[in-house]
Amino acid sequence: QMILVSDDEHKMKSVVDILQNKIVKRQISLKALEYGKMEVAAGDTVRQTVKLQKGIPQDKGKEIVKFIKTLGLKVQGQIMDEQVRVSSKSRDDLQTVIQKLKEKDFGVAMNFSNFR
């Protein structure tokens, strides 16, 4: 969690823009940032809370697994802690699932790893 502080709303937008540029340079998806409400702080300043997503929230994980089941492939999706694990005997089916998940926007940042 980060707390951004600035003199006014216009400068806050500049600070958020700088933060987004730094995040993109580190190859992190902007979907991983969750912005809080801009609040008036002491001394005529404004502040905004920004949370960085770690893992996939439980409700989004359920939505992803449900989507995977609707694809009609021979794959099994399961939620493990803050990640969704998909397993199958066919590598082609797994690649298809990855492609379909990239096409559909779930509103969360997703990374894909292959394990053998």
Side-chain angles (χ1 to χ4, degrees):
Q1 179 175 337
M2 298 173 273
I3 300 175
L4 307 177
V5 179
S6 180
D7 293 336
D8 56 32
E9 288 184 35
H10 180 67
K11 289 181 182 178
M12 179 61 78
K13 290 178 183 178
S14 298
V15 171
V16 169
D17 187 43
I18 292 170
L19 174 67
Q20 289 176 346
N21 287 334
K22 298 292 183 182
I23 293 288
V24 168
K25 284 182 183 178
R26 287 171 174 78
Q27 298 178 347
I28 299 173
S29 173
L30 291 179
K31 293 178 184 178
L33 297 176
E34 182 182 320
Y35 299 96
K37 205 180 234 187
M38 198 175 303
E39 305 169 341
V40 177
D44 295 331
T45 60
V46 293
R47 72 174 160 230
Q48 185 172 20
T49 304
V50 180
K51 293 182 182 178
L52 188 62
Q53 169 192 332
K54 181 183 176 215
I56 297 175
Q58 191 75 17
D59 58 331
K60 290 292 182 179
K62 289 179 183 179
E63 184 179 339
I64 291 169
V65 170
K66 188 175 183 180
F67 175 75
I68 290 170
K69 288 181 181 179
T70 64
L71 294 176
L73 300 171
K74 291 187 177 184
V75 296
Q76 295 81 34
Q78 61 186 24
I79 301 170
M80 298 181 70
D81 296 327
E82 296 176 333
Q83 63 183 355
V84 175
R85 182 166 289 189
V86 181
S87 57
S88 175
K89 291 182 180 181
S90 170
R91 186 179 288 176
D92 292 336
D93 286 348
L94 292 174
Q95 292 299 321
T96 303
V97 169
I98 290 173
Q99 186 63 35
K100 296 292 183 184
L101 288 174
K102 285 182 180 179
E103 290 173 6
K104 183 163 173 67
D105 182 23
F106 289 98
V108 295
M110 292 190 284
N111 296 327
F112 300 95
S113 302
N114 290 328
F115 295 104
R116 264 323 235 169

